[in-house]
Amino acid sequence: MNTEDRRVRKTEKALQNALAELMLHKDLHHITVQELADLADVHRVTFYSHYHDVYDLYEQIENRILGELENLVRKDPSHLYAGVYETVVDYMYENQRLFYMLLCSENDNAFKSKACSLLERKYIDIWMYEDNLSAISDEMRFLTSYYVNGCVAILTMWAKGNYALGKEEVVRMLAKVDLNFEGMAGSE
């Protein structure tokens, strides 16, 4: 049973990596199951035993990454923004190809939107904890959305730049944005 689970994970990982590789050069809607199967070195039947189609594979990758990202930022008990930045940057770095695919492809921006919503909720939770608040204003919600979308834009540029900047530099930039945002949010 454990051997079979390993084989399943290996096949799924090969298909996910193949999709990420193909999406470096093609849009999702131009990728065929046969191309994926060939690149992953699996049979088409094997692909269909795991996924309905290419879009199902993409959606499952998106959902898995979002779920793992949510678990990571929820686990951070520090209530510190820097901890969230470091967690997200480390996770992106460990999953470079997949994040490139999700953030930099010309497909819809559903992943970015979902990731921003997740990070907005975490940011608001931290802010409410820090200031001992039970609710926040509409203005703060707008500002938080602006702030998080800016941070995701930095992460997207990092991915588009093939992760050339060091992780520490990216975390430093995010902290710099946060420092400036605190001044803006404090004038609420």
Side-chain angles (χ1 to χ4, degrees):
M1 181 79 164
N2 194 16
T3 303
E4 185 176 319
D5 290 343
R6 252 194 335 250
R7 284 191 307 233
V8 168
R9 284 193 306 272
K10 184 178 179 183
T11 299
E12 289 175 346
K13 186 168 182 76
L15 288 166
Q16 290 172 5
N17 288 336
L19 181 61
E21 179 68 29
L22 288 169
M23 286 185 69
L24 291 173
H25 314 288
K26 293 177 121 180
D27 288 336
L28 183 64
H29 63 278
H30 288 116
I31 296 172
T32 66
V33 170
Q34 189 62 56
E35 286 176 297
L36 270 170
D38 289 346
L39 189 56
D41 197 25
V42 299
H43 292 281
R44 284 172 52 95
V45 173
T46 302
F47 174 89
Y48 285 115
S49 70
H50 295 274
Y51 308 102
H52 298 293
D53 55 25
V54 175
Y55 300 101
D56 182 37
L57 169 58
Y58 182 87
E59 187 177 315
Q60 286 192 37
I61 292 169
E62 183 179 89
N63 290 337
R64 180 181 61 82
I65 294 291
L66 284 168
E68 289 175 4
L69 195 55
E70 184 167 11
N71 286 337
L72 287 170
V73 297
R74 278 192 176 170
K75 279 199 291 190
D76 181 6
S78 68
H79 296 287
L80 298 173
Y81 305 115
V84 174
Y85 306 144
E86 289 173 13
T87 298
V88 171
V89 166
D90 285 344
Y91 184 64
M92 273 187 71
Y93 195 79
E94 292 168 10
N95 296 281
Q96 291 180 25
R97 275 188 163 168
L98 295 178
F99 271 98
Y100 184 90
M101 175 183 76
L102 294 168
L103 291 172
C104 303
S105 71
E106 296 302 318
N107 295 314
D108 65 47
N109 286 322
F111 177 80
K112 282 184 187 177
S113 178
K114 292 174 187 174
C116 284
S117 292
L118 165 70
L119 294 171
E120 284 173 30
R121 285 191 309 271
K122 181 63 175 177
Y123 189 93
I124 288 170
D125 287 347
I126 292 171
W127 190 63
M128 290 173 65
Y129 175 83
E130 280 183 340
D131 291 354
N132 198 25
L133 300 172
S134 59
I136 64 167
S137 68
D138 287 340
E139 179 180 347
M140 187 58 194
R141 288 192 190 283
F142 280 95
L143 292 172
T144 299
S145 178
Y146 172 78
Y147 164 74
V148 168
N149 278 277
C151 290
V152 170
I154 288 170
L155 295 173
T156 301
M157 288 198 62
W158 185 44
K160 282 183 179 179
N162 204 25
Y163 305 93
L165 289 177
K167 293 187 302 183
E168 298 79 15
E169 180 67 15
V170 175
V171 170
R172 188 195 61 73
M173 280 191 288
L174 293 170
K176 189 174 181 180
V177 169
D178 182 60
L179 183 63
N180 290 313
F181 178 73
E182 284 184 24
M184 188 169 58
S187 65
E188 178 181 32

